[in-house]
Amino acid sequence: MNTFGNIFKLTSFGESHGAAIGGVIDGMPAGIEIDVDFVQQELNRRRPGQSSIVTPRKEGDRVEFLSGIYDGKSTGASIGFVVYNANQHSSDYDNIKDLYRPSHADYTYTQKYGIRDHRGGGRSSARETISRCVAGALAKLALRKLNVEILAYTSQVGNVYLDGVYSDYDLSAIEDNAVRCPDASVAVQMEKLIKEVQSDGDTIGGVISCVIKNTPVGIGEPVFGKLHAALGAAMLGINAAKGFEYGMGFAGVGRRGSEMCDNFINSDGKIKTTSNYSGGIQGGISNGEDIFFRVAFKPVATLLRDVKTVDKDGNEVVLKAKGRHDPCVLPRAVPIVDAMAAMVILDYVLINKTTCI
Amino acid sequence: MNTFGNIFKLTSFGESHGAAIGGVIDGMPAGIEIDVDFVQQELNRRRPGQSSIVTPRKEGDRVEFLSGIYDGKSTGASIGFVVYNANQHSSDYDNIKDLYRPSHADYTYTQKYGIRDHRGGGRSSARETISRCVAGALAKLALRKLNVEILAYTSQVGNVYLDGVYSDYDLSAIEDNAVRCPDASVAVQMEKLIKEVQSDGDTIGGVISCVIKNTPVGIGEPVFGKLHAALGAAMLGINAAKGFEYGMGFAGVGRRGSEMCDNFINSDGKIKTTSNYSGGIQGGISNGEDIFFRVAFKPVATLLRDVKTVDKDGNEVVLKAKGRHDPCVLPRAVPIVDAMAAMVILDYVLINKTTCI
Amino acid sequence: MNTFGNIFKLTSFGESHGAAIGGVIDGMPAGIEIDVDFVQQELNRRRPGQSSIVTPRKEGDRVEFLSGIYDGKSTGASIGFVVYNANQHSSDYDNIKDLYRPSHADYTYTQKYGIRDHRGGGRSSARETISRCVAGALAKLALRKLNVEILAYTSQVGNVYLDGVYSDYDLSAIEDNAVRCPDASVAVQMEKLIKEVQSDGDTIGGVISCVIKNTPVGIGEPVFGKLHAALGAAMLGINAAKGFEYGMGFAGVGRRGSEMCDNFINSDGKIKTTSNYSGGIQGGISNGEDIFFRVAFKPVATLLRDVKTVDKDGNEVVLKAKGRHDPCVLPRAVPIVDAMAAMVILDYVLINKTTCI
Amino acid sequence: MNTFGNIFKLTSFGESHGAAIGGVIDGMPAGIEIDVDFVQQELNRRRPGQSSIVTPRKEGDRVEFLSGIYDGKSTGASIGFVVYNANQHSSDYDNIKDLYRPSHADYTYTQKYGIRDHRGGGRSSARETISRCVAGALAKLALRKLNVEILAYTSQVGNVYLDGVYSDYDLSAIEDNAVRCPDASVAVQMEKLIKEVQSDGDTIGGVISCVIKNTPVGIGEPVFGKLHAALGAAMLGINAAKGFEYGMGFAGVGRRGSEMCDNFINSDGKIKTTSNYSGGIQGGISNGEDIFFRVAFKPVATLLRDVKTVDKDGNEVVLKAKGRHDPCVLPRAVPIVDAMAAMVILDYVLINKTTCI
């Protein structure tokens, strides 16, 4: 199950310490100008070593497109791409070869497959998200035709959080700080907290919020293809994600229906709602209002502390702290969230074209 | 997109006020004894009119199996089933024929398809979940072979909630009260609140929690088929669901990694974890510990109050209160949550059989 | 695997002697007028007992639509339908309960599933094609918008065959005789042959030819979704089909490339080909010329003669002649061939809408 | 639609004159030893320049695996692979940039996508089959565990053909001659014919036959997943394929049922058939006898002669003979046929594991 999507599809491959990460994008609309620099830029956003609050590992990941583009445009053929792995210190992982890191996928992979590529976590490594960035960037290029805009940002790190909603902030400022939070002063607190947990050899979780503007009305399928269910599955498939909510989400469970009624009005000949508790989706289908959702991320499982665990033979052992890891996944997960959102929206825009003949 | 699942698949059909609700179940393992009474019982659990806190509409839904069962056992062929609709008061809905109920799917369906079956909400009606109950019941019958147990319950209604975790309660007591809450005294408060909002012509949301016991180790697929992402998509596809979280979920974002480390131990020759912050899933794959998750439901959108809206021509109108509706969707959504969970687990158990040759 | 199609999808169910045959059609374009009489008529075309050359079994199959249609039009929701089985003489099949009929699916089903509904062949019965007729009829209704015309006919029975190509015949005459052959005098010979083999307690095979007119240019997907591969899979999935060829097919293997070159010309501003050896498909994609193909059907396996076989315990036994069966499947397979063709063309027309954004 | 398969899946990419051909293989069973030399050998079988009867183009295609293999074994993760293109003379194709070669995909691609990579036929080039060889080779490695053996060979070129059935020949001799025909003297005639048409600047078609031994009983799915329909779709998706038949195929249409009855017998406690007119598949499911089928290939469309056609503006032009092309596709299509067959069999073996729980 390494394919994501229905019409616009990414099939991905690659392990942390294998030869390369890459994939095949199928269903890219034909005739779209492929701005390779933009794609590379998007990929750079997830790169380690960007700032003092992320892992200092150097991964100069460069995307190479191998097919499906001719004369600067998508041809409708499948688009193969590859990002070669470099800077591999596979021997760094010799110590975990035969043991199971707590709260990691080592044990479950081994039980499932009877074999495991332990180097850097193998297929369970977050390097897998490289493919998602590339595919998401292509989706964004296609969505430009519809003016769809997708903006994800860090809204919470540990107990430091933005107390406003997305419209309270200048979302053009997301990239202005290392933590990708649109409020500069809160960003400072978040960075401070991250450095603090880092110096403790510890890690911390948080929340990424995302808003999607200008989704056409009518996107999403009833019953099993609800737009928010597709977005939810996309987000929950990102490493370390533990929760998803849209519109009022969990906060809405304490409210009464009369407090969450999005009344329709006629706004200069256009049907709009007076409020948007629904989060832009009603009955699983976009209503033209802004779509917004939140994704919970757990703290990174790898600690710079000794932890107790067992080896493959069931012997109790101590895993010694080692390696270069992110103290907080949030800053680098922001581009993954918006990439996945772009893939879902483009996919469902294309599906929606089959509604009538 | 009326099909759910990969190997064990439900394809469903039916509108609230059409002739029938039903579906086709494909991929049911062969040779399973089909206890039709059990299936009917499961279906009865979602039936309206069970208690004073749900809609008094009478829907004596009876499932008829049309194929795929011979001599009391599943044959491996697809299983068609149908539940005829009765007690249809289609004219009750004449008043909404040309207008869009707020926070409902009327507007989005009309925009998407250019046509809409307005009677009782048509395809967007929660009667669609009948098919899910039937398929879920069959999945449970198959899962009996593995002793998988799925227990969903109401853990919050409005601001009344259980403050313990699932292991604090006697889950065999879920069916003992109308609200399906395993704590009798909290159940009383929940019912009281539901009646209160009902008498106000209002509605209220809540949270359903679910625990899955005895899932074999190794279920779930890496990358795009993570077990929790499949569960999330399943739950978010239920009418009125607004959020999903598993393991520590949103509550875990404020914690440090060191506070959420599920250390492995050797427990009498079996590898177990000392804690279960992960919620039984690591790297998208079950680790044998209990799986647990929570689903947020918004208050029902239909109020017994007049609400402002527009008609299809954009004229502002007032929708008069009318009809028989649930003040709170939670009690009747519990069997849907566990049905969907059963479908996911069976589907992924079957997928897992293809891992090796 | 009871689902056919990608966007326009039929999921079918039903055994010969179960309660009903039916299915769910998903992806029917919204807003199409559903002429139920036309659908019933199409279904009548496959009905037994139409003439002296088909089985005299009476199957007064009537289709009932259960959803997805409102106000005479498709709503975009899934369309459930059912055709109840009648005239079941299940006890007629008691003699085959424990033995394997030669050249039937009895042995393979039993080995695969460990259980078998032997009554009338169960799921392997040609009654399963009822669902295909219904879905095909709906596809034809949608294709009317594009003027696509699909014409299948019997072109060979045993060694009696049409020696011309489709354009040599008046295809409006297909329904004029029981064998569904557009040449009246050849039809007479075919019927004569069928009656002859019937009186011998024997059966005979043949070929169905099909032409599709007015397919828009550009339908079909490169590589694994070639239009002819989809048509081939559709046809080979019909009971008793043993071969498929399109364009010049097997006859073209003896020719040189220079004898099969479809030169392009400018015909009043429209690009056309001077010949159509390709059969209307080039590189897997329709070029606007007529699509034509042929399907080989084997003689029906059920003979009105005693045949040697084994029972489930491996004992050698004699199967006594019994029952009411077609001596030749061709006449009643014609409507299945055009139904399947209609489903494929509609499906690929819809897929093609996703090529560009 | 660049993905083939259900559980064992190939997603492919690549144009003739792009950077590379490659793909992602998903669903490879875990723990299989990956003999990379064997894969390369299989790839070499389709390489041009092997003999005097195929194109002298040099394509030293080398496969590089990028993921999914660790310690010489498949890990269960997706397997990315790439074969870089070399020896590209893109300017060789400048003359066809704006015109449509007859019986090629130039016109249909342009109409479908509005853009076309004309260099060497782009995505419609037979170089695309490189990916199929690689995936087929991996499938063969997995099938070794079941002793499944797949043997394809050239049985007809133009009007030169083998007049026996597969069991009349020593199939271990297939690779002994350039044309891949197991009868040495017929092979000589075939080669002679190919050289003759080549010297005429012409091309010729033919038939490839294939036999599959040791398929376990029970492989294949009823109704829409019949094993022969899957094999047919696989074969018809190969460039230049125009027909498919299995068992008695088209030759069986002239026979009576009594002449094609595969009686079951008890052969030393094992149920076998006395004949195999069915071709090893009954009701879409393997019965354990040999599976055999035939695939028709048209003559290559590219002639070394001037041909009339039109350009994209509809002007009539003459396409001058040019380039290095195969006079007959058969010898190099043999490895593609068996690769596709291997992929189908493995896929359906894996699907079959989900039949029971």
Side-chain angles (χ1 to χ4, degrees):
Chain A
M1 285 211 190
N2 292 282
T3 296
F4 182 83
N6 298 277
I7 300 288
F8 179 83
K9 287 187 282 198
L10 165 66
T11 301
S12 83
F13 69 83
E15 285 86 41
S16 175
H17 285 61
I21 303 283
V24 183
I25 294 156
D26 201 359
M28 179 71 183
I32 303 292
E33 291 209 33
I34 305 301
D35 178 344
V36 177
D37 289 342
F38 171 76
V39 179
Q40 183 62 48
Q41 242 169 277
E42 286 288 290
L43 191 52
N44 294 349
R45 291 174 69 212
R46 78 162 286 293
R47 197 152 59 182
Q50 299 169 64
S51 71
S52 59
I53 57 165
V54 299
T55 169
R57 287 195 312 269
K58 286 272 170 281
E59 300 174 4
D61 303 320
R62 291 218 74 80
V63 64
E64 293 171 43
F65 287 107
L66 304 175
S67 68
I69 302 169
Y70 174 64
D71 221 6
K73 287 187 178 162
S74 59
T75 62
S78 52
I79 298 175
F81 67 90
V82 75
V83 174
Y84 281 95
N85 287 329
N87 187 31
Q88 300 169 4
H89 297 261
S90 296
S91 57
D92 282 6
Y93 293 90
D94 285 353
N95 64 320
I96 65 161
K97 192 171 194 297
D98 294 325
L99 57 77
Y100 302 135
R101 291 171 297 163
S103 298
H104 274 278
D106 301 342
Y107 173 66
T108 53
Y109 270 64
T110 308
Q111 292 299 307
K112 184 178 186 74
Y113 297 112
I115 183 177
R116 156 181 156 233
D117 181 349
H118 70 282
R119 302 165 302 165
R123 185 69 175 142
S124 74
S125 161
R127 274 191 69 74
E128 166 265 313
T129 57
I130 284 174
S131 299
R132 307 180 185 218
C133 277
V134 173
L138 291 189
K140 287 174 192 173
L141 289 173
L143 288 171
R144 281 183 185 172
K145 283 193 110 167
L146 305 177
N147 297 317
V148 174
E149 212 182 342
I150 300 172
L151 297 152
Y153 58 93
T154 301
S155 55
Q156 181 168 355
V157 172
N159 292 314
V160 180
Y161 57 90
L162 292 179
D163 50 15
V165 295
Y166 70 88
S167 48
D168 296 337
Y169 304 100
D170 173 11
L171 300 185
S172 71
I174 294 171
E175 295 294 308
D176 291 356
N177 53 68
V179 81
R180 295 201 162 96
C181 170
D183 181 310
S185 65
V186 175
V188 169
Q189 297 171 54
M190 288 173 170
E191 292 190 39
K192 190 163 158 282
L193 174 59
I194 293 171
K195 285 179 181 166
E196 197 178 300
V197 300
Q198 187 174 27
S199 68
D200 291 351
D202 215 331
T203 62
I204 190 82
V207 175
I208 292 176
S209 296
C210 183
V211 56
I212 308 173
K213 292 168 173 290
N214 301 326
T215 306
V217 184
I219 305 309
E221 302 293 310
V223 188
F224 299 124
K226 293 193 170 87
L227 185 55
H228 56 266
L231 287 167
M235 299 307 146
L236 290 163
I238 301 173
N239 286 18
K242 301 295 283 190
F244 170 88
E245 60 180 3
Y246 81 105
M248 287 294 288
F250 279 91
V253 307
R255 295 231 190 164
R256 295 194 173 199
S258 60
E259 295 169 309
M260 285 175 59
C261 185
D262 292 326
N263 298 89
F264 288 108
I265 51 160
N266 186 329
S267 168
D268 296 325
K270 225 176 146 182
I271 293 177
K272 302 290 291 174
T273 57
T274 52
S275 54
N276 188 13
Y277 298 108
S278 298
I281 303 174
Q282 290 176 328
I285 301 170
S286 62
N287 67 359
E289 305 295 323
D290 290 347
I291 293 170
F292 57 90
F293 59 83
R294 288 162 29 97
V295 189
F297 288 89
K298 68 169 185 175
V300 175
T302 306
L303 308 178
L304 286 174
R305 297 178 178 195
D306 292 359
V307 288
K308 288 184 186 170
T309 189
V310 298
D311 66 18
K312 68 183 165 64
D313 302 315
N315 301 311
E316 306 202 346
V317 294
V318 170
L319 169 63
K320 291 282 178 189
K322 200 172 169 182
R324 301 157 298 167
H325 295 281
D326 288 288
C328 178
V329 84
L330 277 283
R332 292 178 56 212
V334 165
I336 315 302
V337 166
D338 61 39
M340 294 306 292
M343 290 173 66
V344 170
I345 298 297
L346 176 58
D347 191 30
Y348 276 75
V349 162
L350 294 172
I351 292 170
N352 198 44
K353 297 188 77 175
T354 67
T355 304
C356 297
I357 195 171
Chain B
M1 286 212 189
N2 292 281
T3 296
F4 181 83
N6 298 278
I7 300 287
F8 179 83
K9 288 187 281 198
L10 166 66
T11 301
S12 83
F13 69 84
E15 286 85 41
S16 174
H17 285 62
I21 304 284
V24 183
I25 294 156
D26 202 359
M28 179 71 183
I32 303 292
E33 290 209 34
I34 305 301
D35 179 344
V36 178
D37 289 342
F38 171 75
V39 179
Q40 183 63 48
Q41 243 169 278
E42 285 289 290
L43 191 52
N44 293 350
R45 291 175 69 214
R46 78 161 287 291
R47 196 152 59 182
Q50 299 169 65
S51 71
S52 59
I53 57 165
V54 299
T55 170
R57 287 196 312 269
K58 287 272 171 279
E59 299 173 4
D61 304 319
R62 290 218 76 78
V63 63
E64 293 171 44
F65 287 107
L66 304 174
S67 69
I69 302 169
Y70 175 65
D71 220 7
K73 286 185 177 162
S74 58
T75 63
S78 53
I79 298 176
F81 66 91
V82 73
V83 173
Y84 282 95
N85 287 329
N87 188 29
Q88 300 170 3
H89 297 261
S90 295
S91 57
D92 281 6
Y93 294 90
D94 285 353
N95 64 321
I96 65 161
K97 191 171 194 299
D98 294 325
L99 57 78
Y100 302 135
R101 290 171 298 163
S103 298
H104 272 278
D106 301 341
Y107 172 67
T108 53
Y109 269 64
T110 308
Q111 292 299 307
K112 184 178 186 72
Y113 296 112
I115 181 176
R116 157 183 156 232
D117 181 350
H118 70 281
R119 300 165 304 164
R123 184 69 175 141
S124 74
S125 162
R127 273 191 70 73
E128 167 264 313
T129 55
I130 285 175
S131 300
R132 306 181 184 217
C133 277
V134 173
L138 291 189
K140 287 174 192 173
L141 289 173
L143 288 171
R144 282 183 184 173
K145 283 192 111 167
L146 306 177
N147 296 318
V148 174
E149 213 183 342
I150 300 172
L151 296 153
Y153 58 92
T154 300
S155 55
Q156 181 168 356
V157 172
N159 292 314
V160 180
Y161 57 90
L162 292 179
D163 50 15
V165 296
Y166 70 88
S167 48
D168 297 335
Y169 304 99
D170 172 12
L171 299 185
S172 70
I174 294 171
E175 294 293 308
D176 290 356
N177 54 68
V179 82
R180 294 200 162 96
C181 170
D183 180 311
S185 66
V186 175
V188 169
Q189 296 171 54
M190 288 173 170
E191 291 190 40
K192 190 163 159 282
L193 174 59
I194 293 172
K195 286 181 180 164
E196 196 179 300
V197 300
Q198 186 174 26
S199 68
D200 290 351
D202 215 331
T203 61
I204 191 82
V207 175
I208 292 176
S209 295
C210 184
V211 56
I212 308 174
K213 290 166 174 291
N214 301 326
T215 306
V217 184
I219 305 308
E221 303 293 309
V223 188
F224 299 124
K226 293 192 171 88
L227 185 55
H228 56 266
L231 287 167
M235 299 307 145
L236 291 162
I238 301 174
N239 285 19
K242 302 295 283 189
F244 170 88
E245 60 180 1
Y246 80 106
M248 287 295 288
F250 279 91
V253 306
R255 296 232 189 162
R256 295 194 173 197
S258 60
E259 296 169 308
M260 283 174 61
C261 186
D262 292 326
N263 298 90
F264 288 107
I265 49 159
N266 185 327
S267 166
D268 295 325
K270 226 177 146 182
I271 293 177
K272 304 290 293 175
T273 57
T274 52
S275 55
N276 188 13
Y277 299 108
S278 298
I281 303 174
Q282 291 176 329
I285 301 170
S286 62
N287 66 358
E289 305 295 322
D290 290 346
I291 294 170
F292 56 90
F293 60 83
R294 289 165 26 100
V295 190
F297 289 89
K298 68 170 186 175
V300 176
T302 307
L303 308 178
L304 286 175
R305 297 178 178 195
D306 292 359
V307 288
K308 288 185 186 171
T309 190
V310 299
D311 66 18
K312 69 184 165 62
D313 302 316
N315 301 312
E316 306 203 345
V317 293
V318 171
L319 168 63
K320 290 284 177 187
K322 200 173 169 181
R324 300 158 300 168
H325 294 281
D326 287 289
C328 178
V329 84
L330 277 283
R332 291 178 56 212
V334 165
I336 316 303
V337 166
D338 60 39
M340 294 305 292
M343 290 173 64
V344 170
I345 298 297
L346 176 58
D347 191 29
Y348 276 74
V349 162
L350 294 172
I351 293 170
N352 198 45
K353 297 187 77 174
T354 67
T355 303
C356 297
I357 195 172
Chain C
M1 282 212 191
N2 293 282
T3 296
F4 181 82
N6 299 278
I7 300 288
F8 178 83
K9 288 187 282 198
L10 166 65
T11 300
S12 84
F13 69 84
E15 285 87 41
S16 175
H17 285 62
I21 303 284
V24 182
I25 294 156
D26 201 1
M28 179 71 183
I32 303 292
E33 291 210 32
I34 304 302
D35 179 343
V36 177
D37 289 343
F38 171 76
V39 179
Q40 183 63 47
Q41 243 169 275
E42 287 289 289
L43 191 53
N44 294 349
R45 291 175 70 212
R46 78 161 288 291
R47 196 153 59 181
Q50 300 170 64
S51 73
S52 58
I53 56 164
V54 298
T55 170
R57 286 197 313 269
K58 288 272 171 282
E59 300 174 4
D61 303 320
R62 291 217 75 79
V63 63
E64 295 171 42
F65 287 108
L66 304 175
S67 68
I69 302 170
Y70 174 66
D71 219 7
K73 287 186 178 162
S74 59
T75 62
S78 53
I79 298 176
F81 66 91
V82 75
V83 174
Y84 281 95
N85 287 329
N87 187 28
Q88 300 169 4
H89 297 260
S90 295
S91 57
D92 282 7
Y93 294 90
D94 285 352
N95 65 321
I96 64 161
K97 191 171 194 296
D98 294 325
L99 57 77
Y100 302 135
R101 291 170 298 163
S103 298
H104 273 277
D106 301 342
Y107 172 66
T108 53
Y109 269 64
T110 309
Q111 292 299 307
K112 184 179 186 73
Y113 296 112
I115 182 176
R116 157 184 157 230
D117 180 350
H118 70 282
R119 301 165 304 164
R123 184 70 177 140
S124 74
S125 162
R127 274 191 69 75
E128 166 265 312
T129 56
I130 285 174
S131 299
R132 305 181 185 219
C133 277
V134 173
L138 291 190
K140 287 174 191 173
L141 290 173
L143 288 171
R144 281 183 185 171
K145 284 193 109 167
L146 305 177
N147 296 317
V148 174
E149 213 182 341
I150 300 172
L151 296 153
Y153 58 92
T154 301
S155 55
Q156 181 168 354
V157 172
N159 293 314
V160 181
Y161 56 91
L162 293 179
D163 50 15
V165 296
Y166 71 88
S167 48
D168 296 337
Y169 304 99
D170 172 10
L171 299 185
S172 70
I174 293 171
E175 295 293 309
D176 290 356
N177 54 67
V179 82
R180 294 202 162 94
C181 170
D183 181 309
S185 66
V186 175
V188 168
Q189 297 170 55
M190 287 173 171
E191 291 189 38
K192 192 164 157 281
L193 175 59
I194 293 172
K195 284 178 180 164
E196 199 179 298
V197 299
Q198 187 174 26
S199 68
D200 291 351
D202 215 331
T203 61
I204 189 82
V207 175
I208 291 175
S209 295
C210 183
V211 56
I212 307 174
K213 292 167 173 289
N214 301 326
T215 307
V217 185
I219 305 308
E221 302 294 310
V223 189
F224 299 123
K226 293 193 170 88
L227 185 55
H228 56 266
L231 286 166
M235 298 307 146
L236 291 163
I238 300 174
N239 286 17
K242 300 296 282 189
F244 171 88
E245 59 180 3
Y246 81 104
M248 288 294 289
F250 279 91
V253 306
R255 297 232 189 163
R256 294 193 174 199
S258 60
E259 296 170 308
M260 283 174 60
C261 186
D262 293 326
N263 299 92
F264 287 107
I265 51 160
N266 185 328
S267 167
D268 295 326
K270 223 176 148 182
I271 293 178
K272 302 289 292 174
T273 58
T274 54
S275 54
N276 187 15
Y277 298 107
S278 298
I281 303 174
Q282 291 176 328
I285 301 171
S286 63
N287 66 359
E289 305 295 323
D290 290 346
I291 293 170
F292 56 90
F293 59 84
R294 287 163 30 96
V295 190
F297 288 89
K298 68 169 186 175
V300 175
T302 306
L303 308 178
L304 286 174
R305 297 178 178 196
D306 292 359
V307 288
K308 287 184 187 170
T309 190
V310 298
D311 66 17
K312 68 184 166 63
D313 302 315
N315 301 311
E316 304 202 346
V317 293
V318 171
L319 169 63
K320 293 282 179 189
K322 199 172 169 182
R324 301 157 298 167
H325 296 281
D326 287 289
C328 178
V329 83
L330 277 283
R332 292 177 55 211
V334 165
I336 316 302
V337 166
D338 60 38
M340 293 306 291
M343 288 172 65
V344 170
I345 298 297
L346 176 57
D347 191 29
Y348 276 74
V349 162
L350 294 173
I351 292 170
N352 198 44
K353 298 188 75 174
T354 67
T355 304
C356 297
I357 195 171
Chain D
M1 283 213 191
N2 293 282
T3 297
F4 181 83
N6 298 278
I7 300 287
F8 179 82
K9 288 188 282 198
L10 166 65
T11 300
S12 83
F13 68 83
E15 286 87 41
S16 175
H17 285 62
I21 304 283
V24 183
I25 294 157
D26 201 1
M28 179 71 182
I32 304 291
E33 290 208 35
I34 304 302
D35 179 343
V36 177
D37 290 342
F38 172 76
V39 179
Q40 183 62 48
Q41 243 169 277
E42 286 288 290
L43 191 53
N44 293 350
R45 292 175 69 213
R46 78 160 288 292
R47 197 154 58 181
Q50 299 170 64
S51 72
S52 58
I53 56 165
V54 299
T55 170
R57 287 196 312 269
K58 287 271 172 282
E59 300 173 4
D61 303 319
R62 290 218 75 80
V63 63
E64 294 170 43
F65 287 108
L66 304 175
S67 68
I69 301 169
Y70 174 65
D71 219 7
K73 288 188 177 161
S74 59
T75 62
S78 53
I79 298 176
F81 65 91
V82 75
V83 174
Y84 281 94
N85 288 330
N87 188 28
Q88 301 170 5
H89 297 259
S90 295
S91 57
D92 281 7
Y93 294 90
D94 285 352
N95 64 323
I96 65 160
K97 190 172 195 298
D98 294 325
L99 57 78
Y100 302 134
R101 290 171 299 163
S103 299
H104 273 278
D106 301 341
Y107 172 66
T108 53
Y109 269 64
T110 309
Q111 292 299 307
K112 184 178 186 74
Y113 297 112
I115 181 176
R116 156 183 158 232
D117 180 349
H118 70 281
R119 302 165 304 164
R123 185 70 177 140
S124 73
S125 162
R127 274 189 70 73
E128 166 264 313
T129 56
I130 285 174
S131 300
R132 305 181 185 218
C133 277
V134 174
L138 291 189
K140 286 173 192 173
L141 290 174
L143 287 171
R144 281 183 184 172
K145 284 193 109 167
L146 306 178
N147 296 317
V148 174
E149 213 182 342
I150 300 172
L151 296 153
Y153 58 92
T154 301
S155 54
Q156 181 167 356
V157 172
N159 292 315
V160 180
Y161 56 90
L162 293 179
D163 50 16
V165 295
Y166 70 89
S167 48
D168 296 337
Y169 304 100
D170 172 10
L171 300 184
S172 71
I174 293 171
E175 295 293 308
D176 290 355
N177 54 69
V179 81
R180 294 201 162 95
C181 170
D183 181 310
S185 66
V186 175
V188 169
Q189 298 171 53
M190 287 173 172
E191 290 189 40
K192 191 163 158 282
L193 175 59
I194 293 172
K195 284 178 182 166
E196 198 179 298
V197 301
Q198 186 174 27
S199 68
D200 292 351
D202 215 331
T203 60
I204 190 80
V207 175
I208 291 175
S209 295
C210 184
V211 55
I212 307 173
K213 291 167 174 292
N214 301 327
T215 307
V217 184
I219 305 308
E221 302 293 310
V223 188
F224 298 123
K226 294 192 169 88
L227 185 56
H228 57 266
L231 286 167
M235 299 306 146
L236 291 163
I238 300 173
N239 285 17
K242 301 295 282 190
F244 170 89
E245 59 181 4
Y246 81 105
M248 288 294 288
F250 279 92
V253 307
R255 296 234 188 161
R256 294 192 173 199
S258 59
E259 297 170 308
M260 284 174 60
C261 186
D262 292 327
N263 298 91
F264 288 107
I265 50 159
N266 185 328
S267 168
D268 295 325
K270 225 177 145 181
I271 293 177
K272 302 291 291 174
T273 57
T274 53
S275 55
N276 188 13
Y277 298 107
S278 298
I281 303 174
Q282 291 176 328
I285 301 170
S286 62
N287 66 359
E289 305 294 324
D290 289 347
I291 293 171
F292 57 91
F293 59 83
R294 288 164 28 97
V295 190
F297 288 90
K298 68 168 187 176
V300 175
T302 306
L303 309 177
L304 286 173
R305 296 178 178 194
D306 292 358
V307 288
K308 289 185 186 170
T309 191
V310 300
D311 67 16
K312 68 184 166 63
D313 302 316
N315 301 311
E316 305 201 347
V317 293
V318 171
L319 169 62
K320 292 284 178 189
K322 199 173 169 183
R324 301 158 298 167
H325 295 281
D326 288 288
C328 178
V329 84
L330 277 282
R332 292 177 56 213
V334 165
I336 316 302
V337 166
D338 60 38
M340 293 305 292
M343 290 172 65
V344 170
I345 298 296
L346 176 57
D347 191 29
Y348 276 75
V349 162
L350 294 173
I351 292 170
N352 197 45
K353 297 187 76 174
T354 67
T355 303
C356 296
I357 194 170

